[in-house]
Amino acid sequence: MSRIGVFVCHCGENISATVNCEKVAKITGELKGVEFSTDYKYMCSYPGQTLIKEAIKEHKLDGVVVAACSPRMHEPTFRKACAEAGLNPFLCEMSNIREHCSWVHPKDDLTTEKAQDLVRVMVEKVKKNKALNSIKVPVTKTALVIGGGIAGIQAALDIANCGHKVIMVERQPSIGGHMSQLSETFPTLDCSQCILTPRMVEVAQHPNITLHTYSEVESVDGFIGNFKVKIRKRSKSIDEHLCTGCGLCTTKCPQKKIPNEFERGLGFRPAIYVPFPQAVPNKPVIDREHCTYYIKGKCKICEIVCPTKAIRFDQEDEVIDVAVGAIVMATGFDVLKTDYFPEYGYGKYADVIDGLAFERLASASGPTQGEIRRPSDGKIPKKIVFVACAGSRDPAKGIEYCSKICCMYTAKHAMLYKHKVHDGIPYVFYMDIRAGGKNYEEFVRRTIVEDETQYIRGRVSTIYEKNGKLIVKGADTLMGAQPVEIEADMVVLATAGVANHGAEELAQTVHISYDPYKFFAEAHPKLKPVETNTAGIFLAGACQAPKDIPESVAAASGAAVKVAALFSNDELTRDPLVAVVNRSAPPVYSQCVGCFLCQSVCPYQAIEREEIKNRNGEVIKTLARVNEGLCQGCGTCVALCRTKAIDIHGYSNQQVYTEIMALLND
Amino acid sequence: MQEFEPKIVAFVCNWCTYAGADLTGTSRIKYSANVKIIRFPCTGRIDFMILMKAFENGADGIIVSGCHPNDCHYSTGNFHARRRWIVFRNLLNFSGIDTERIQFSWVSAAEGFKWADVVNNTVKKIREIGPYENYNKIAVSTLFKEEGATNE
Amino acid sequence: MSDLIKKVTALLNDKTINAFIGYEKGSADRIRATFIRNEDQAQKLILNASCTQNLAGYLLKHEVKKLGKLGILANVAALRSIMQLASEFQIKDGEVYVLFANADGSLTEFTDFKSIEAFLETTDTGIKSEEQEMIAKLEAMTVNERWLFWNKEFEKCIKCYACRAACPMCYCHRCTTDVNQPQWIPVASHELGNLDYHLMRAMHLAGRCVNCGECATACPMDIPLNLLTYQLISPIKATFGATAGMKADAVYALSTYKPDDKENFII
Ligand SMILES: Cc1cc2nc3c(=O)[nH]c(=O)nc-3n(C[C@H](O)[C@H](O)[C@H](O)COP(=O)(O)OP(=O)(O)OC[C@H]3O[C@@H](n4cnc5c(N)ncnc54)[C@H](O)[C@@H]3O)c2cc1C
Ligand code: SF4
Ligand code: SF4
Ligand code: SF4
Ligand code: SF4
């Protein structure tokens, strides 16, 4: 006979507003095997947990059901409380009467009845629960950081400085990410390169960091503490050990007119190139798509001029295997493709550019050495229109959300323009100014007041060219939607920040979830912002949502602490909710017949063969066995095994069967 | 006449649909109280026998839901589940069991609205089809006959 | 003396095999399986048009296995059973000596899986046209009519499990019907227990059934339960490209997947 305790939580009024908690406690208290039942305002609070602990001791409970919020929220809390009271934590289950009941149904009898049903299911289930012991697994104290933007750099340095090894994978030839393209940064206007470059160099030189640029993650297997990762190092066509980075090859390459991605197409680069002068590593790669040798079969000028004979035309991609214990995702963001807005003339008019291109124009190391000159004729524009929310907060054509960084960088652009072109007139079309952040509002104010930027609240409807000017038409909603028309010399679109290309595929490769916009999903929006739903994988920077630099860096340090905390243990304890193949006495040994049809369904190759031998060492039966270190508890094998030889702790045949019975037979 | 209140059991995976249903709750989106959820680690764990047991214990409808293809927390559990459902539906249909009464869906952790829709639409559909009398006839009657024998 | 008897005698005498599974005459003109261990017993072997039983199921029976290295007289269904059992690691290559009875009465010997696979590739392995028609007839019914049809059929079932015993793929040491924690399948042979048993068995045979028809032949109540598993053969082939019992190293259709497996019912 069981001695189950039922604890019904009001969650303040979150549950009790629609569910009669006293009644649930009373009715379920009458179920067979329930020894004690009660309701309480906040079960998860200290007094609530104490109540459970005391009841366990006082009533000698051998099972606990907490009817409260989602187990995804508080199952660990209550299991821990049970353990502290001496009850095996796996004898505690939760009934989700908040997310799955009180919040989704109105206040009526049906809702309370449903809550009772949900509790009854768990009471019956918990009777079939078994006391389980946690499984210990070793931790590989090396972290993988994917993406070498400011977020990845920060995370890698923080982890490395805690004394752990870091492997960084960056798909571009250099680390640095978007920050390396920026001119000066809000709200302080320090030069982006000046604050970033030293950190890039630090990454390259750190004894604990191994950097793989021009590389991508091909596959991830395993689990927290024990990931196995394949990294594809794309061929750079040079021997990095021999190359001294002198750059002679880049000056001699006959291909000179390849649009420079780093300069947002405002400049050109050769086929063998270093993306920008401060690149790390500062060694060139050959862009095979544009290289004359790969296109036509002859050229090899770079090979001829290279003083150290470092060029390798026949170099192939290399796939390396690494073992890591944790992964930090830091793959950043991208800006929305501007061709969504044909009416803005991007791509049609050379002088309609995006924000990143403006950063390059304003950058001292950019194509104009920091002078604001328009792309079409190199003239200094006297009037620039900046269009904020180009794609953001626009469910019809762009994206629904606010990209967050654009208000600030647009203000920065207007300010930089004014600082560089004193007689220039900046206009900003905006929807709202969102300048939450330390010194952000003050920064925008300065742009408006000191730098005399004309802020016009309203959307731009069209942009077209007339007599060498760009005519920007819009409406001023603060002036009763009065039409506005500005003759500009240049237009800068603050295009929305979106998930990086390839983010969805990467999420699938590493097995983490992502939101509808393909940004990586955090485990909890408030309390677990840098964790993902996959244990051991963390988020840093703008791969999670548009973020500015301070936020990206803060998140990166947060993720780094999580990694360091994980690495502070030599072993991890894991939930023992794993599959087992049953064993019985000879001559049957097990219900398993050794068909091994289950073997290939296991995503973790956790099903092994075990040979049962007789005294003479002859194999008399071959059975399946689950390696509990590898099993992640999906249960796919359990559903496949027709003889019911495999079962899984926590979701056993007996447990789920009982749940269905209890749910449908009241 | 009082409206028929169907009994519907939802078998869902922990990582996507269970979390999606949590989000439905957090977003306070309303849905019908007829549906009750049983949590599984993965759709791959959902044995076809579990669905049979639901029908024979009086369910009028069943929802089976998990992560979208490629999004499985265990990477491939839902792919295996999908294959089994394809076969099982064929068998049920051939055996004269109404596959209209089983709604399969992919609901991700971000699809709180979709979960409410899946539930509401299923409830609506089952209300229209009515109680599962064929199954109830054999299930309830036989269970009565040998009460205690099968039910522990 | 028939070729078969000669051949089996030779195999036994030179110890290629220790026992041979073939057919003999039973009571009342019936044909039954026999297990030949010496020259004398070999004289009982017969081979005629009535020898249609799939003998492969015996290969895994404990009492038969005990006899030592086995030879078997196989028809197409038995060859396929052997392939299927091999893919489920129940029979190893070279472990069984196979004599196949051709339509003209001549014998072909198979000593390895490769040659069986090659032979099956060029052989008709489909289900009989009567069975096909029956399936088509059932498929043309409404769901409710089908329910009534099977209800009536299953009503007759006495849960003697002759079907299971006859099925070469039902070699589980402990069938789920005998599992009692939980009792998935009600023990009694009432409508529910019978439905549960037959649906379960059909699912267990989906993608594994080699359409030998032994289950239906064995059934004392004449339930056409083979149709349940036969019906699944073509959708499994069409959707997953898999046919049971054709290759010794085949992957079971339900043990694998393709990311783009087609379905039209998941929303
Ligand atoms: C026009 C503009 C102006 C801005 N101005 C400011 C400013 O003044 N102040 C400020 O605070 N913020 C500013 N920002 C925001 C700033 O750029 C971001 O906050 C910052 O770049 C985010 O850093 P990150 O490392 O998360 O991402 P990113 O900088 O995008 O870096 C991501 C890195 O990951 C790499 N990567 C991507 N996918 C993969 C993959 N699959 N495998 C391996 N590597 C991969 C990328 O190549 C890149 O190196 C501005 C943004 C824009 C668009
Ligand atoms: S556990 Fe089941 S599926 Fe796996 S080998 Fe054993 S009998 Fe076969
Ligand atoms: S439950 Fe089974 S299939 Fe899933 S990980 Fe464990 S052993 Fe593999
Ligand atoms: S019915 Fe299923 S469990 Fe029973 S013997 Fe056949 S295959 Fe095995
Ligand atoms: S042989 Fe016939 S009567 Fe016996 S269990 Fe099978 S179907 Fe039922």
Side-chain angles (χ1 to χ4, degrees), chain A residues 133-150:
Chain A
N133 295 320
S134 296
I135 295 172
K136 295 209 182 328
V137 285
V139 178
T140 309
K141 295 187 183 182
T142 300
L144 172 70
V145 175
I146 311 179
I150 184 59

Side-chain angles (χ1 to χ4, degrees), chain A residues 169-449:
Chain A
V169 174
E170 165 61 55
R171 71 177 169 196
Q172 295 297 324
S174 169
I175 56 171
H178 283 101
M179 191 172 166
S180 59
Q181 287 175 289
L182 306 183
S183 52
E184 283 159 22
T185 53
F186 63 74
T188 47
L189 293 193
D190 25 15
C191 143
S192 190
Q193 290 284 3
C194 314
I195 53 178
L196 175 67
T197 331
R199 309 208 131 198
M200 291 165 60
V201 174
E202 211 184 316
V203 166
Q205 293 178 345
H206 204 294
N208 280 346
I209 302 179
T210 312
L211 180 58
H212 299 289
T213 50
Y214 219 45
S215 302
E216 279 181 72
V217 169
E218 199 152 273
S219 69
V220 175
D221 286 317
F223 50 93
I224 182 169
N226 299 275
F227 294 106
K228 291 191 178 51
V229 181
K230 280 195 192 308
I231 299 170
R232 174 173 292 271
K233 300 189 63 153
R234 281 165 60 208
S235 161
K236 298 181 174 176
S237 314
I238 58 149
D239 182 329
E240 283 187 278
H241 300 293
L242 293 179
C243 174
T244 57
C246 71
L248 197 58
C249 51
T250 64
T251 62
K252 300 288 191 233
C253 176
Q255 292 282 354
K256 296 205 176 340
K257 287 279 168 201
I258 305 166
N260 189 334
E261 303 84 353
F262 184 80
E263 302 292 0
R264 296 298 283 176
L266 296 179
F268 299 102
R269 64 161 172 86
I272 184 163
Y273 73 109
V274 179
F276 52 100
Q278 304 79 1
V280 167
N282 205 322
K283 290 180 182 171
V285 298
I286 296 183
D287 163 8
R288 292 189 176 183
E289 213 178 297
H290 293 102
C291 163
T292 321
Y293 173 71
Y294 288 104
I295 298 170
K296 300 211 175 119
K298 50 175 175 266
C299 176
K300 294 201 174 181
I301 290 177
C302 48
E303 188 178 43
I304 298 161
V305 301
C306 176
T308 62
K309 299 278 163 273
I311 309 289
R312 293 284 177 274
F313 285 105
D314 56 357
Q315 196 179 58
E316 285 177 7
D317 287 6
E318 191 190 344
V319 178
I320 58 168
D321 291 290
V322 297
V324 299
I327 301 177
V328 177
M329 307 297 295
T331 51
F333 69 111
D334 202 353
V335 289
L336 189 67
K337 282 217 225 73
T338 345
D339 29 328
Y340 283 108
F341 308 99
E343 65 274 30
Y344 290 174
Y346 183 88
K348 191 157 145 209
Y349 310 125
D351 296 331
V352 178
I353 62 171
D354 70 3
L356 274 177
F358 189 84
E359 293 286 344
R360 296 314 301 149
L361 286 181
S363 167
S365 61
T368 56
Q369 276 81 46
E371 286 182 25
I372 308 295
R373 293 183 176 276
R374 60 185 204 172
S376 61
D377 52 11
K379 283 204 190 118
I380 294 183
K382 294 295 173 198
K383 253 188 215 174
I384 301 187
V385 171
F386 294 91
V387 182
C389 286
S392 301
R393 304 172 65 195
D394 181 359
K397 282 185 143 173
I399 48 163
E400 276 171 74
Y401 56 87
C402 163
S403 296
K404 201 173 184 186
I405 51 176
C406 326
C407 281
M408 288 305 294
Y409 77 62
T410 297
K412 173 184 78 176
H413 289 170
M415 185 185 274
L416 288 176
Y417 170 54
K418 194 71 186 173
H419 290 183
K420 288 174 191 263
V421 183
H422 300 297
D423 58 346
I425 312 176
Y427 292 89
V428 173
F429 277 89
Y430 72 103
M431 283 165 68
D432 297 291
I433 302 175
R434 300 192 162 172
K438 195 165 174 172
N439 292 325
Y440 284 16
E441 177 63 19
E442 297 90 320
F443 183 84
V444 175
R445 278 290 126 208
R446 256 170 38 221
T447 309
I448 298 173
V449 178

Side-chain angles (χ1 to χ4, degrees), chain B residues 17-83:
Chain B
T17 304
Y18 195 95
D22 277 358
L23 182 63
T24 316
T26 333
S27 324
R28 312 293 201 277
I29 305 162
K30 299 287 179 250
Y31 61 80
S32 171
N34 304 56
V35 172
K36 284 151 207 164
I37 292 177
I38 295 188
R39 179 162 73 134
F40 286 79
C42 174
T43 42
R45 168 67 184 93
I46 305 172
D47 189 338
F48 67 91
M49 304 254 283
I50 287 166
L51 310 197
M52 286 160 48
K53 292 294 130 184
F55 276 143
E56 63 195 54
N57 281 287
D60 302 297
I62 294 174
I63 297 173
V64 182
S65 185
C67 310
H68 288 266
N70 291 321
D71 291 354
C72 175
H73 180 77
Y74 307 97
S75 22
T76 53
N78 58 352
F79 286 134
H80 290 288
R82 178 172 64 187
R83 276 217 164 184

